[in-house]
C-alpha cells in the first residue's frame, strides 16, 4: 500500500504550491512504490521559515518543562507506532528489520532524553567582584534553525537534531533527504499530536539544491545543522557563515580499526565485520579500513573473509544484510570495487552482485574484502559508503596509527588490543572525534558528544548529549544591581 505525505507547515499538512510530487521505492524491489511526497519549491521553503519565525518568540517563552512534556508525549506516540515505523524504514531505506527497529528505538530514546533535559536548562550564578551585585547567566535559544538530514539514518538523525532544538526553545524547519523521508515525517505527526504549537516545527520535502538551499540562506534563519556528504557540507557551511549564521556540519568518514599483534584474531574479525558490513556499510562511522599487524595479518584476513561469507543477503525483513538504498549507490560501490582491483588490491571475497532469484531486482552487493591494500590507494582514502573493507598490513603499532591518521577524515576509529599501553596511546594519538577500544567503529551513545576531526566535521559544534544543547543555545551574562 502506497502512503501519501504532505509538508507540515505552521501546524497544517499541506501540498506544495507547484502541485508536483515524487515517489520512493523499495530498494529490495524497486518496482514497488513505498510513498509519494511533495516536490516542494523555494516558495514552500520560504513559507515554512516564515511560519517558524512568527512562532519563535512564543515557543522560546514557553516554560522549558512544558516543552519537555510535548517531547515526552511525542516519544510515547512513536513508541506506540514502533512496529509500523520499523516496517516503513525497512521498506524505504533497506535496513534489516533489526537495524531499523534499533534506529526507531534510538529516536524514541532521544525524545525521552531531551524531554528530561528541559528540567535542567538555565544559566549559572557567579560571585561578583563588588557589593550589591548579582552576577549570573541566562541561556537562550539561538532562534530559527534549519536542519538538513541524510537518508542513511532517516529517523535517528532528524530526531537528534529536532529534539534538542525544540527542547531549548528554537523553532525549526527540516528538509530530509528525498531518498527515504517517510519516518522523518512521522516524527512531525507525533509532535503535532503531542500538542506542539503551530509553526514551532516545520518539514518541507524536496531536493536539497532547492528546498535546502532556500532555508539555509533565508534571512530569518539563525542557525544551520547539516549532516551529509563533504562536498555539499562545505557549500552549506560557506553559504551559512557568509550570512553570519551559526553552523554545525557532520560529514563523511574513512574509519579504521587497528588490529594489534596482541589481539584475539577471531574477536577482531567479528568486531571489524560488524562495523564494516552492518547497515550494508551505509554509515558515516562504518569501518572501511582494517589496519593489521603483520604477525596476525594472514590469520585475520582468513577470519574476516569467513565472517563476510557467513552473512546472508536479502530483503531486510528476513536476512542479515539488506540492499543498498538506490541504484546509484550500488553503482558507486561497484565502481570502487573495480578501481581497487585495478590499483592492485587482492579481492579476497565478494566484489559483485549476488546471483539468484531473490537478487534479480534489488540493489544488492556482496560483502567485499580486499587484502594487499596500500594506504595511498583510493579504496583506502575515499569514502565508499558500501560493504567494502580494505585490509592494510603494518609492521608495528606506530605504523598502524600513522596509517589510521593518514586520511582527510577523522570521524570514528577503534583498536583491538590486549595491551593497555597501546590502548591508552591510541586514545591520545588517533585523529578522530570518536575513539573506541575493543569495539566496532559504529554505534553511539546518545548522551555524549558526537562529531569528527578534519574533513569529517566543521569542528565547530558537537551533536548529542549536552553538546547538542550547546549548539542550540546562547549565553547572556546579567549584572543585577537592583
Amino acid at each position: 500500500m502506497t502512503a501519501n505525505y504532505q509538508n507540515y507547515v505552521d501546524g497544517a499538512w499541506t501540498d506544495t504550491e507547484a502541485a508536483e510530487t515524487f515517489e520512493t521505492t523499495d530498494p529490495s524491489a524497486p518496482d514497488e512504490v513505498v510513498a509519494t511526497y511533495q516536490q516542494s519549491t523555494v516558495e514552500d521553503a520560504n513559507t515554512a521559515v516564515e511560519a517558524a519565525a512568527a512562532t519563535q518568540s512564543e515557543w522560546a517563552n514557553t516554560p522549558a518543562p512544558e516543552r519537555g512534556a510535548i517531547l515526552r508525549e511525542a516519544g510515547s506516540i512513536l513508541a506506540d507506532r514502533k512496529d509500523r515505523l520499523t516496517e516503513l524504514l525497512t521498506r524505504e531505506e533497506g535496513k534489516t528489520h533489526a537495524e531499523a527497529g534499533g534506529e526507531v528505538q534510538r529516536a524514541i530514546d532521544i525524545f525521552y532524553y531531551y524531554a528530561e533535559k528541559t528540567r535542567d536548562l538555565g544559566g549559572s550564578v557567579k560571585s561578583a567582584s563588588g557589593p550589591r551585585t548579582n552576577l549570573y547567566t541566562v541561556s537562550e535559544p539561538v532562534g530559527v534553525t534549519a536542519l538538513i538530514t541524510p537518508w542513511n539514518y532517516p529517523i535517528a538523525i532528524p530526531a537528534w537534531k529536532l529534539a534538542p532544538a525544540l527542547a531549548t526553545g528554537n523553532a525549526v524547519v527540516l528538509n530530509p533527504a528525498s531518498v527515504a523521508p517517510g519516518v522523518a515525517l512521522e516524527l512531525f505527526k507525533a509532535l503535532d499530536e503531542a500538542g506542539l504549537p503551530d509553526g514551532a516545527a516545520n518539514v518541507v520535502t524536496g531536493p536539497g539544491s532547492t528546498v535546502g538551499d532556500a532555508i539555509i540562506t533565508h534571512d530569518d534563519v539563525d542557525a544551520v545543522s547539516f549532516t551529509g556528504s563533504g562536498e555539499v557540507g562545505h557549500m552549506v557551511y560557506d553559504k551559512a557563515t557568509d550570512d553570519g549564521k551559526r553552523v554545525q556540519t557532520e560529514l563523511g568518514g574513512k574509519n579504521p580499526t587497528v588490529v594489534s599483534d596482541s589481539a584475539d584474531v577471531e574477536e577482531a574479525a567479528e568486531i571489524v565485520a560488524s562495523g564494516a558490513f552492518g547497515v550494508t556499510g551505509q554509515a558515516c562511522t562504518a569501518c572501511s579500513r582494517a589496519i593489521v599487524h603483520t604477525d596476525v595479518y594472514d590469520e585475520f584476513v582468513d577470519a574476516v573473509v569467513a565472517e563476510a561469507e557467513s552473512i546472508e543477503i536479502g530483503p531486510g525483513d528476513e536476512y542479515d544484510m539488506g540492499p543498498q538504498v538506490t541504484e546509484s549507490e550500488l553503482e558507486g560501490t561497484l565502481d570502487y570495487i573495480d578501481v581497487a582491483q585495478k590499483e592492485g588490491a587482492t579481492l579476497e571475497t565478494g566484489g559483485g552482485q549476488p546471483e539468484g532469484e531473490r537478487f534479480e531486482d534489488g540493489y544488492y552487493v556482496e560483502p567485499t574484502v580486499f587484502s594487499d591494500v596500500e594506504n595511498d590507494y583510493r579504496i583506502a582514502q575515499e569514502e565508499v559508503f558500501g560493504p567494502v573493507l580494505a585490509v592494510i598490513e603494518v609492521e608495528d603499532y606506530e605504523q598502524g596509527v600513522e596509517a589510521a591518521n593518514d586520511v582527510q577524515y577523522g570521524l570514528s576509529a577503534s583498536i583491538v588490543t590486549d595491551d593497555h599501553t597501546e590502548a591508552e596511546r591510541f586514545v591520545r594519538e588517533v585523529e578522530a572525534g570518536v575513539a573506541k577500544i575493543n569495539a566496532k567503529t559504529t554505534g553511539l551513545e546518545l548522551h555524549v558528544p558526537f562529531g569528527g576531526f578534519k574533513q569529517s566535521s566543521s569542528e565547530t559544534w558537537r551533536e548529542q548529549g549536552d553538546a547538542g544543547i550547546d549548539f542550540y543555545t546562547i549565553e547572556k551574562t546579567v549584572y543585577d544591581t537592583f
Side-chain angles (χ1 to χ4, degrees), residues 18 52 109 129 135-136 147 209 228 235 295 324 349 364 401 416 457 475:
D109 293 343
S129 300
L135 183 61
Y136 59 95
L147 311 177
S209 58
M235 290 189 292
D295 288 353
Q324 296 218 249
T349 190
Y364 296 102
V401 173
V416 184
S457 169
E475 296 295 310

Side-chain angles (χ1 to χ4, degrees), residues 66-78:
E66 186 176 330
R67 298 195 297 261
I70 293 172
L71 292 179
R72 190 178 304 108
E73 177 61 19
S76 296
I77 293 169
L78 294 172

Side-chain angles (χ1 to χ4, degrees), residues 47-58 144 171 173 199 202 218 220-221:
T47 299
V49 174
E50 290 159 9
T55 309
Q56 175 58 50
S57 180
E58 174 191 349
V144 176
V173 180
N202 309 270
H218 197 289
D220 287 338
V221 167

Side-chain angles (χ1 to χ4, degrees), residues 257-272 291-297 299-300 303 397 414-420 422-423 437-439:
T257 294
V258 174
V259 180
S260 167
D261 59 341
S262 67
D264 179 308
V265 173
E266 294 296 328
E267 178 187 17
E270 291 176 6
I271 288 170
V272 169
I291 301 170
V292 185
H293 193 287
T294 188
D295 288 353
V296 295
Y297 182 83
E299 185 182 356
F300 174 84
Y397 166 82
S414 72
I415 186 170
V416 184
T417 182
D418 279 346
D419 186 323
H420 286 283
E422 280 185 349
I437 301 167
N438 295 328

